């Protein structure tokens, strides 16, 4: 499973709730990755920046290195209007480079396990 999210350093933390700085978000992401492993998921983290070109290159590199049947695109990418082009590019890259891949979406690092469970085939 490919877990795509914005790198904490790519975010404008002045627009975040109080206390959600780069260190706090990094800790939440790390805890989310630990929860994924504890739940038995073989997740490959793919942290990107907000540049659609650089993000696409990063995702393509991960897709060349591994075969994925499922990709999760994080809420930080999807829920911010300024990231609409980035989100579109990621969806289209995944559809083109990994035909048949299933997509799921979380709302925070803490909801990733639930998002994956909705789409994992038994």
């Amino acid at each position: 499973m490919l877990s795509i999210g914005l790198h904490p350093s790519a975010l404008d933390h002045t627009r975040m709730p109080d206390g959600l700085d780069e260190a706090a978000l990094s800790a939440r992401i790390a805890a989310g990755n630990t929860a994924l492993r504890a739940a038995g998921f073989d997740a490959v983290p793919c942290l990107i920046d907000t540049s659609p070109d650089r993000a696409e290159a990063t995702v393509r590199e991960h897709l060349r290195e591994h075969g994925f049947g499922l990709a999760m695109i994080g809420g930080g990418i999807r829920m911010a209007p300024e990231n609409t082009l980035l989100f579109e590019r990621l969806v289209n890259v995944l559809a083109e480079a990994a035909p048949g891949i299933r997509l799921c979406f979380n709302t925070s690092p803490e909801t990733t396990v639930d998002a994956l469970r909705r789409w994992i085939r038994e």
Side-chain angles (χ1 to χ4, degrees), residues 61-81:
E61 180 179 328
H62 276 75
L63 293 172
R64 278 191 299 274
E65 294 173 1
H66 305 279
F68 296 103
L70 179 66
M72 192 281 308
I73 301 176
I77 296 166
R78 297 183 336 278
M79 298 183 340

Side-chain angles (χ1 to χ4, degrees), residues 49-64:
D49 69 23
T50 57
S51 160
D53 290 336
R54 288 190 300 269
E56 179 177 336
T58 300
V59 169
R60 284 186 185 279
E61 180 179 328
H62 276 75
L63 293 172
R64 278 191 299 274

Side-chain angles (χ1 to χ4, degrees), residues 3-43:
S3 179
I4 304 169
L6 289 174
H7 193 285
S9 67
L11 298 169
D12 177 1
H13 294 280
T14 63
R15 298 180 63 212
M16 300 291 187
D18 287 340
L20 191 56
D21 59 10
E22 186 175 342
L25 189 53
S26 293
R28 287 177 64 193
I29 291 169
N33 288 334
T34 298
L36 286 171
R37 286 188 298 280
F41 290 103
D42 183 18

